[in-house]
Amino acid sequence: MPDLRRLAAVLAAALLLGSCTSEGDDAPDGNDRAACDTSKGTLIVGVIAPLSGELGEQGKGIANATSLAVDQANESCAVDGYRLVAQPEDDGMNPDLGAQAATKLASTENLAGVVSTLNSSVSARVQPILDSAGILQVSPANTADSLSRGENFRTDPKRRFETYFRTCTVDSLQGPFAANYLVEKLEETRIAIVTDGLKYGEGLADSFTERAEEKGATIVTRQRIDGNATDFTKVIDALKPFEPDAVYFGGQFPQAAPLSEQLAAAGLTGPVMGGDGIYHDAYLSAGGKEGDLATSVGAPTEDLESAQEFASAYEAKGYPEGIGAYGAFAYDAANVIIDSLATTIGDGEWSPSMREDLVATVGEYEGDGATGKVAFDEYGDSTNHVLTVYEVRDGKWVAVETGEYID
């Protein structure tokens, strides 16, 4: 659900059709809705996401949700005098490609802001490029704490980039939320940790470990795999002597699913648990087994009244990809950019000199989004700390616990 200011714009457009029309505009469309004034030109909302590769479906869900928000903004004449265009760029889940995409967008004329990125390791390369140009970045999916508060975020948090914001919550909350469920609810107390060695997986595993040990669990071993591995014989051989009750995996579903399958075949039948990186339907068909667990940011889309309008509009567009774990967060990220852009420009004209004002406007943003209340703290992090635990039951992900993590 868009920000209240944007809803007001929609209502105004419906009641006063002529208010969005200026002399010389195109004729009304077939629905007798007067066309918006776009005489000031076009503004670009960029997207950086993996549009190809193993996470391509999730990346396309982010791009689709952004395009939906842009289309709705154009229909409601949200930014006075301008037509908005979404420009997606593929990072292939590769930091180097992400840097190339950021450089390309940074040099794109009339770029207003960027919905970016899915992977935290990619964002680490993208952030300084966009920030050096003063370009707003709002991520729907980055969860690594260090992106907003620095490597010493636990003891000495410092905001790294004033231009960076995110609509999802962070690993320092997601990991403990998972640990609480696995140790307290399921009473799994001998846990092995496996990570893919990347920023996201390592940070998630660190926060999980700290909380699990506080709750009395024993981390029997911690192993690392190659992020491109498909045969996990070596790591499984390392785990077997410890006979863990469960395995916590810090990484993405393309490795987590076959790892789960191979663990079970080797006699380690306890649940595999991970973060939002494994919460994907492809996990179920790639080897994930009954009883496996994942946490993900936010509440289930189908359970949120605030998300129903978005979900219906997304379905009506006929996108071949589903909303996925991050679609609603991408929709909110895009609307943060659009609504703040409308506020910053007002009835004036866009100039790159407005970028600093746009970033400041986002910092003060408060609105109702598809994921609930949307606002940011002093580090640019979302103030929405709701998380959900999902379990594989009868071949489907089923939400088993939703709540706000409180330390």
Side-chain angles (χ1 to χ4, degrees):
M1 195 175 295
D3 179 77
L4 293 176
R5 292 170 295 182
R6 189 157 162 244
L7 286 174
V10 173
L11 292 173
L15 294 172
L16 301 170
L17 294 177
S19 66
C20 288
T21 309
S22 67
E23 186 176 353
D25 278 345
D26 294 335
D29 61 23
N31 296 321
D32 293 328
R33 184 185 66 81
C36 299
D37 172 16
T38 59
S39 60
K40 296 177 184 176
T42 298
L43 295 176
I44 305 297
V45 177
V47 180
I48 301 176
L51 306 179
S52 61
E54 293 177 320
L55 300 184
E57 184 175 353
Q58 289 187 340
K60 289 177 182 176
I62 290 172
N64 293 341
T66 301
S67 293
L68 172 60
V70 165
D71 288 346
Q72 291 177 336
N74 287 330
E75 290 167 4
S76 66
C77 314
V79 182
D80 185 30
Y82 287 96
R83 174 176 175 267
L84 303 179
V85 173
Q87 182 173 322
E89 301 291 342
D90 184 11
D91 65 36
M93 195 183 155
N94 182 308
D96 290 337
L97 293 179
Q100 292 175 22
T103 300
K104 177 181 177 180
L105 285 172
S107 62
T108 298
E109 186 176 3
N110 287 343
L111 178 74
V114 185
V115 177
S116 162
T117 60
L118 191 160
N119 302 96
S120 294
S121 57
V122 176
S123 193
R125 292 288 302 280
V126 167
Q127 285 177 303
I129 295 170
L130 296 182
D131 186 74
S132 65
I135 295 170
L136 172 66
Q137 176 186 357
V138 186
S139 172
N142 294 162
T143 55
D145 294 77
S146 59
L147 295 174
S148 57
R149 291 176 285 147
E151 295 296 336
N152 298 321
F153 63 89
R154 296 181 185 278
T155 58
D156 187 24
K158 293 180 181 179
R159 187 163 189 180
R160 297 185 64 203
F161 300 105
E162 293 295 328
T163 56
Y164 178 79
F165 299 83
R166 52 181 149 197
T167 53
C168 61
T169 195
V170 292
D171 291 336
S172 60
L173 304 182
Q174 186 175 189
F177 191 77
N180 286 351
Y181 188 85
L182 191 61
V183 178
E184 292 184 334
K185 295 292 180 68
L186 298 189
E187 298 182 344
E188 307 287 14
T189 58
R190 290 179 53 79
I191 304 167
I193 304 292
V194 179
T195 74
D196 63 3
L198 299 178
K199 180 180 286 291
Y200 163 74
E202 292 293 329
L204 193 58
D206 288 345
S207 63
F208 173 89
T209 297
E210 182 178 1
R211 186 64 168 184
E213 291 180 333
E214 287 175 358
K215 291 294 181 180
T218 298
I219 304 303
V220 296
T221 184
R222 180 162 173 161
Q223 302 290 327
R224 181 181 295 180
I225 63 167
D226 183 321
N228 297 315
T230 56
D231 183 346
F232 302 103
T233 302
K234 184 177 180 180
V235 72
I236 292 171
D237 287 344
L239 298 183
K240 287 185 72 173
F242 296 98
E243 299 181 344
D245 300 327
V247 174
Y248 187 81
F249 182 71
Q252 304 286 345
F253 72 86
Q255 289 73 48
L259 173 62
S260 177
E261 182 177 44
Q262 292 172 40
L263 282 166
L268 297 177
T269 58
V272 169
M273 187 176 199
D276 54 308
I278 81 168
Y279 175 58
H280 192 285
D281 285 345
Y283 179 84
L284 308 173
S285 59
K289 65 182 183 300
E290 291 289 301
D292 284 352
L293 303 155
T295 52
S296 192
V297 291
T301 301
E302 62 271 18
D303 293 345
L304 283 173
E305 183 178 351
S306 59
Q308 299 315 301
E309 181 181 337
F310 158 68
S312 296
Y314 189 99
E315 183 179 2
K317 284 287 188 178
Y319 297 120
E321 299 81 19
I323 292 171
Y326 310 112
F329 291 95
Y331 181 72
D332 287 349
N335 278 319
V336 166
I337 294 173
I338 293 166
D339 295 338
S340 300
L341 186 63
T343 298
T344 302
I345 294 176
D347 60 1
E349 293 190 19
W350 171 254
S351 165
S353 64
M354 291 182 172
R355 285 175 174 166
E356 185 175 350
D357 291 338
L358 176 60
V359 169
T361 300
V362 172
E364 299 297 323
Y365 185 93
E366 292 184 4
D368 294 319
T371 59
K373 294 291 183 182
V374 179
F376 306 100
D377 65 16
E378 67 269 34
Y379 302 104
D381 288 336
S382 172
T383 57
N384 181 350
H385 297 164
V386 174
L387 292 151
T388 298
V389 176
Y390 296 87
E391 182 179 345
V392 180
R393 294 180 178 176
D394 297 325
K396 296 180 180 179
W397 287 114
V398 177
V400 293
E401 182 165 299
T402 297
E404 184 172 9
Y405 176 75
I406 300 175
D407 196 356

